[in-house]
């Protein structure tokens, strides 16, 4: 069962063109929604689909749309294509290989929420996806599928592509809005949530690229049909990015519910050189890791949540038994230290401390107190070190940096200790 | 003709209710012309968007792709985030630094190369991943990283094409890319000639 990758698999050479999109039923769902459904009816189908956001937080899309205050206009729709969570490359494929599927999803969603101005924010390091979107937008405008009076209904919609410029934090929705407004990409304090006060202080819906790419199918087949796919709480298909020590890394669209072990074997071809899985990250660099003993866990949003982690951005990173876990953790902590926007002291200072301590352990210069130091600093960023983390910061980036620390200290403490030289008594 | 007279400037401004929003696309356009964000470039942008130079400069420094110092003709970015890190990205980075004769974070005296290590560039299924002027190459091994540097130096292409470099120096990809493209980058700015020109209201 596939939804998102059907066209690109059947038509590898031209799935990104308007001609192919049209030849495979493209824009018929948008036409149907705009010409024979009310906006409320489209919104009801999306609610009924139980679709949950694919950007990381997994919030039900139909519910989010319902938070828009009824009387304030204009409303904005902002598409989050900032995809920068290490391990994640699924939106890139959707943007490059089926841009019209996304544009059609935007038309449907904009109609449902009565919005006439949408922005697609794509990270600056994605020139090819951005070019494909630019060309697809131009094709759609030329064909009268965007602009004024869509499908003769009087509904207007403009879509603008906005290019980011290298800042992971701009994937966080309120930072993204600041960036789009021409400010530094600092996350805003919530509430107010963007649905109430977002872009230019107007009600704004921010949705992920994959989330919106599902809309044509939902309109065509009905929300109930979407909800019927997969286990409860994890409706629909989902595009997972699989990377690390597997034989066949890649993006794979699956119905949720299979186990991580099955996914890694069936789709990834298993671990390279027949080795064992030492540990894996189930949902991008922000997520706490699982160990090789947890491969039987089903891939669902709720199972993973109960087990103390998250499906997050849908990025599964597999590490085999030869992996130096301190090295892997350092790479992730270094990422967060580099990407911290600096507004909150525990995040700004804490991530740098964690990076420095891991770096010295890696160099063989760790000290016996360093394990406690790592935990103390982590506790200062995310008090109690629980899951989901307790927040003392404006956004979840700071607490994300704690995930690799608790992961290695809970599961591989001996290994970390063994990297710390015994204290040599001063002669 | 200065970039400020480019018809795209007006088209971009028309895309947003507030002209401040145009600061990011304008910084790219200014950088494409000047090679990096000179004081003059910052001033040009500030006049167009109605901010002070200090404000524009503070925005530019927030984003890693806006360069305030001269960059080489070829900006080589090597990903060292987790999926690449566990597949020996550090070795690829060292090979490239060594072959280019430029340590990460610096630009060579002859202005040919700038080498940098960057965070995840969304190519983790094709680790280790490298970009040249933001055009992607996936599955780059140490030896291919060296060959890439030599090729850039010898062939000195005006435009770097991702598909061409992938075929010559790449390996494992994150997914099938589809048909090859003729568009590529002519400098250390993401190649996107149509930036801001698509859309209604114009
Ligand atoms: C630090 C941080 C980075 C994020 N990066 C992204 C991103 O690159 N893409 C994305 O869609 N969502 C990202 N998110 C989640 C967004 O804030 C937001 O929840 C999402 O775009 C909403 O869309 P959805 O409901 O369709 O998932 C990020 C969140 C945080 C805290
Ligand atoms: S937690 Fe970190 S990234 Fe998030 S707002 Fe605070 S300082 Fe910025
Ligand atoms: S981790 Fe290197 S491209 Fe994502």
């Amino acid at each position: 069962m596939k939804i998102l990758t059907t066209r690109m698999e059947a038509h590898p050479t031209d799935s990104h063109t308007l001609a192919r999109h049209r030849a495979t039923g493209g824009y018929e769902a948008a036409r149907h929604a705009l010409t024979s459904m009310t906006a409320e009816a489209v919104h009801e189908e999306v609610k009924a689909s139980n679709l949950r956001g694919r950007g990381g937080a997994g919030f039900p899309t139909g519910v989010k749309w319902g938070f828009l205050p009824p009387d304030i206009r204009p409303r904005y729709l902002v598409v989050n294509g900032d995809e920068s969570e290490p391990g994640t490359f699924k939106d890139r494929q959707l943007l490059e290989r089926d841009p019209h599927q996304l544009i059609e999803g935007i038309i449907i969603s904009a109609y449902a929420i009565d919005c006439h101005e949408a922005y697609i924010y794509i990270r600056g390091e994605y020139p090819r996806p951005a070019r494909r979107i630019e060309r697809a937008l131009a094709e759609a405008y030329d064909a009268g599928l965007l602009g004024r009076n869509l499908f003769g209904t009087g509904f207007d919609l403009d879509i603008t592509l906005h290019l980011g410029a290298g800042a992971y934090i701009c994937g966080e929705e309120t930072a993204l809005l600041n960036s789009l407004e021409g400010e530094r990409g600092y996350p805003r304090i919530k509430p107010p949530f963007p649905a109430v006060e977002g872009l230019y202080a107007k009600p704004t819906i921010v949705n992920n690229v994959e989330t919106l790419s599902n809309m044509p199918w939902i309109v065509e087949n009905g929300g109930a049909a979407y909800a019927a796919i997969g286990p409860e709480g994890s409706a629909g298909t989902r595009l997972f990015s699989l990377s690390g020590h597997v034989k066949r890394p890649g993006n794979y669209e699956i119905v949720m519910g299979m186990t991580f072990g099955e996914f890694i074997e069936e789709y990834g071809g298993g671990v390279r050189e027949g080795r064992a899985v030492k540990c894996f990250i189930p949902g991008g660099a922000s997520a706490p890791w699982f160990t090789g003993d947890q491969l039987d866990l089903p891939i669902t949003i709720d199972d993973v949540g109960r087990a103390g982690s998250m499906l997050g951005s849908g990025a599964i990173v597999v590490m085999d038994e030869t992996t130096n876990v301190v090295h892997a953790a350092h790479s992730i902590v270094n990422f967060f230290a580099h990407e911290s926007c600096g507004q909150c002291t525990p995040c700004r200072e804490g991530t740098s401390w964690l990076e420095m301590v891991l770096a010295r352990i890696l160099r063989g210069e760790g000290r016996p107190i360093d394990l406690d130091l790592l935990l103390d600093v982590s506790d200062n960023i995310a008090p109690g070190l629980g899951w989901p983390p307790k927040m003392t910061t404006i956004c979840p980036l700071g607490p994300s940096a704690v995930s690799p620390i608790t992961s290695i200290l809970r599961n591989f403490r001996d290994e970390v200790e063994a990297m710390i030289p015994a204290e040599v008594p001063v002669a | 003709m200065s970039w400020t007279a480019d018809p795209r400037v007006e088209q971009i401004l028309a895309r947003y209710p507030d002209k401040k929003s145009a600061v990011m696309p304008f910084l790219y356009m200014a950088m494409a012309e000047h090679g990096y964000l000179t004081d003059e470039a910052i001033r040009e942008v500030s006049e167009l968007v109605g901010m002070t130079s200090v404000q524009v400069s503070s925005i530019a420094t927030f984003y890693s792709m806006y360069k305030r110092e001269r960059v080489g003709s070829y900006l080589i970015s090597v990903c060292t985030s987790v999926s690449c890190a566990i597949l020996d990205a550090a070795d690829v980075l060292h090979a490239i630094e060594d072959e280019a004769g430029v340590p990460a974070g610096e630009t060579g005296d002859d202005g040919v190369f700038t080498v940098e290590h960057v965070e995840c560039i969304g190519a983790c299924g094709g680790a280790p991943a490298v970009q040249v002027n933001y055009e992607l190459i996936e599955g780059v091994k140490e030896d291919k990283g060296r060959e890439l540097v030599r090729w850039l130096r010898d062939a000195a292409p005006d435009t770097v094409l991702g598909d061409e470099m992938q075929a010559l120096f790449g390996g494992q990809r994150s997914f099938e890319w589809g048909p090859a493209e003729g568009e590529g980058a002519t400098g250390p700015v993401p190649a996107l000639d149509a930036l801001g020109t698509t859309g209604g209201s114009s």
Side-chain angles (χ1 to χ4, degrees):
Chain A
M1 171 76 219
K2 284 179 182 166
I3 293 173
L4 301 161
T5 55
T6 315
R7 188 176 292 105
M8 64 183 83
E9 280 190 3
H11 306 283
T13 58
D14 62 356
S15 59
H16 58 290
T17 63
L18 178 60
R20 176 56 67 194
H21 197 73
R22 281 237 153 119
T24 48
Y27 290 105
E28 283 310 311
R31 176 192 302 280
H32 177 71
L34 268 64
T35 57
S36 46
M37 292 171 80
T38 62
E40 294 71 32
V42 177
H43 186 181
E44 282 309 317
E45 291 302 330
V46 174
K47 269 194 228 164
S49 74
N50 291 338
L51 170 65
R52 292 169 71 170
R54 305 303 196 219
F59 196 82
T61 307
V63 176
K64 188 194 279 187
W65 293 2
F67 292 154
L68 289 165
D71 303 324
I72 308 175
R73 298 292 187 284
R75 291 168 167 179
Y76 294 108
L77 175 62
V78 175
V79 185
N80 193 338
D82 195 52
E83 185 164 75
S84 316
E85 174 89 7
T88 320
F89 48 98
K90 62 175 180 86
D91 294 339
R92 188 181 129 220
Q93 183 166 359
L94 294 172
L95 292 164
E96 270 183 46
R97 306 299 309 283
D98 207 338
H100 284 287
Q101 177 171 255
L102 173 63
I103 294 170
E104 187 173 6
I106 296 170
I107 296 173
I108 292 166
S109 307
Y111 175 69
I113 63 171
D114 190 26
C115 144
H116 305 283
E117 201 73 60
Y119 293 91
I120 308 179
Y121 190 106
I122 297 181
R123 64 179 304 190
E125 299 89 338
Y126 273 9
R128 182 187 300 248
R131 289 196 291 262
R132 291 272 168 92
I133 286 289
E134 277 276 354
R135 266 181 243 138
L137 286 172
E139 284 180 313
Y141 270 104
D142 287 347
L145 294 160
L146 288 173
R148 306 282 86 80
N149 192 23
L150 306 194
F151 306 106
T153 59
F155 183 77
D156 301 338
L157 177 64
D158 282 314
I159 303 181
T160 299
L161 167 65
H162 192 95
L163 207 60
Y168 163 71
I169 194 59
C170 290
E172 194 281 331
E173 55 187 8
T174 59
L176 189 155
L177 297 177
N178 276 340
S179 177
L180 200 43
E181 287 182 16
E183 304 279 351
R184 301 185 128 214
Y186 285 141
R188 302 173 181 172
I189 294 169
K190 295 192 262 192
F193 288 91
V196 176
E197 202 179 306
L199 188 61
Y200 311 114
K202 296 294 182 208
T204 302
I205 293 296
V206 183
N207 273 132
N208 169 260
V209 165
E210 181 183 348
T211 307
L212 295 179
S213 295
N214 282 296
M215 295 305 167
W217 195 95
I218 291 174
V219 165
E220 200 179 324
N221 299 275
Y226 192 88
I229 304 167
E232 206 182 328
S234 293
T237 64
R238 197 162 165 173
L239 193 56
F240 283 94
S241 297
L242 179 61
S243 66
H245 297 146
V246 291
K247 288 194 187 125
R248 289 193 302 269
N251 287 321
Y252 299 105
E253 182 179 6
I254 61 164
V255 175
M256 287 179 268
M258 71 174 67
T259 68
F260 283 98
E262 286 163 352
F263 179 66
I264 291 166
E265 274 308 316
E266 272 174 46
Y267 290 86
V271 178
R272 62 173 186 182
E273 289 164 45
R275 293 190 184 131
V277 175
K278 181 172 190 170
C279 49
F280 61 99
I281 313 177
S286 302
W289 309 0
F290 290 142
T291 63
D293 303 338
Q294 289 168 291
L295 286 165
D296 289 338
L297 204 69
I299 303 183
T300 73
I301 298 176
D302 299 325
D303 284 294
V304 172
R306 274 192 296 272
S309 188
M310 62 174 177
L311 277 189
S313 60
I316 300 171
V317 184
V318 176
M319 300 181 227
D320 75 15
E321 56 201 348
T322 67
T323 310
N324 176 340
V325 290
V326 177
H327 176 230
H330 176 262
S331 161
I332 296 177
V333 169
N334 189 45
F335 170 80
F336 289 117
H338 185 256
E339 299 297 335
S340 167
C341 83
Q343 283 189 103
C344 323
T345 314
C347 171
R348 185 185 62 239
E349 308 280 322
T351 53
S352 300
W353 268 96
L354 294 175
E355 190 278 323
M356 192 191 75
V357 174
L358 285 179
R360 78 174 171 226
I361 295 177
L362 272 179
R363 286 197 309 268
E365 295 165 13
R367 306 174 201 159
I369 55 149
D370 279 351
L371 272 61
D372 289 334
L373 185 57
L374 286 172
L375 288 172
D376 279 353
V377 175
S378 298
D379 193 73
N380 193 39
I381 304 175
L385 303 181
W387 188 262
K390 211 170 177 184
M391 296 260 296
T392 60
T393 50
I394 294 173
C395 94
L397 184 147
S400 295
V402 169
S403 295
I405 303 290
T406 52
S407 298
I408 60 171
L409 291 183
R410 280 176 191 154
N411 300 308
F412 306 105
R413 198 182 169 102
D414 293 352
E415 246 181 87
V416 186
E417 270 170 354
M419 289 178 71
I420 296 178
E423 258 178 317
V424 188
V426 185
Chain B
M1 183 186 84
S2 157
W3 71 274
T4 53
D6 187 323
R8 288 190 291 163
V9 166
E10 286 307 316
Q11 284 163 338
I12 289 171
L13 285 169
R15 306 302 303 142
Y16 304 95
D18 182 343
K19 60 183 175 181
K20 262 171 57 189
S21 288
V23 67
M24 294 182 74
F26 286 170
L27 283 169
Y28 276 133
M29 288 177 74
M31 211 163 63
E33 179 166 308
H34 296 276
Y36 69 105
L37 292 171
T38 58
D39 291 344
E40 192 193 344
I42 296 281
R43 200 162 42 242
E44 288 164 349
V45 173
S46 70
E47 277 163 22
L48 285 170
V49 299
M51 291 188 220
T52 64
S53 290
V54 174
Q55 284 170 318
V56 172
S57 185
S58 123
I59 287 157
T61 49
F62 186 82
Y63 300 94
S64 62
M65 291 170 68
Y66 295 133
K67 308 293 186 192
R68 287 304 314 268
E69 281 170 30
R70 190 175 294 285
V71 197
S73 309
Y74 305 109
L75 169 65
I76 308 181
S77 315
V78 182
C79 173
T80 52
S81 286
V82 64
S83 302
C84 292
I86 62 174
L87 285 163
D88 304 324
D91 296 342
V92 179
L93 175 63
H94 292 146
I96 287 175
E97 288 175 302
D98 184 55
E99 194 66 44
V102 180
E106 292 186 24
T107 300
D109 292 335
D110 57 4
V112 179
F113 296 113
T114 299
V115 179
E116 60 177 11
H117 70 86
V118 292
E119 301 299 347
C120 181
I121 47 181
C124 335
V130 174
Q131 288 182 329
V132 178
N133 294 346
Y134 303 106
E135 293 298 309
L136 177 64
I137 319 163
E138 298 189 288
V140 182
K141 301 262 166 58
E142 240 180 289
D143 53 335
K144 289 288 175 182
R146 285 186 186 277
E147 282 179 35
L148 166 68
V149 174
R150 285 199 291 267
W151 177 80
L152 287 169
R153 190 184 280 122
D154 297 342
D158 290 334
T159 304
V160 290
L161 298 169
D163 293 289
E164 183 184 14
M165 292 189 293
Q166 176 68 32
L168 290 172
F169 311 107
Q172 173 73 45
R173 286 182 298 186
S174 292
F175 51 82
E176 285 301 317
W177 288 6
E181 289 192 330
E183 256 181 284
T186 51
V189 181
L192 203 69
D193 288 341
L195 185 69
T197 54
T198 308
S201 345
S202 51

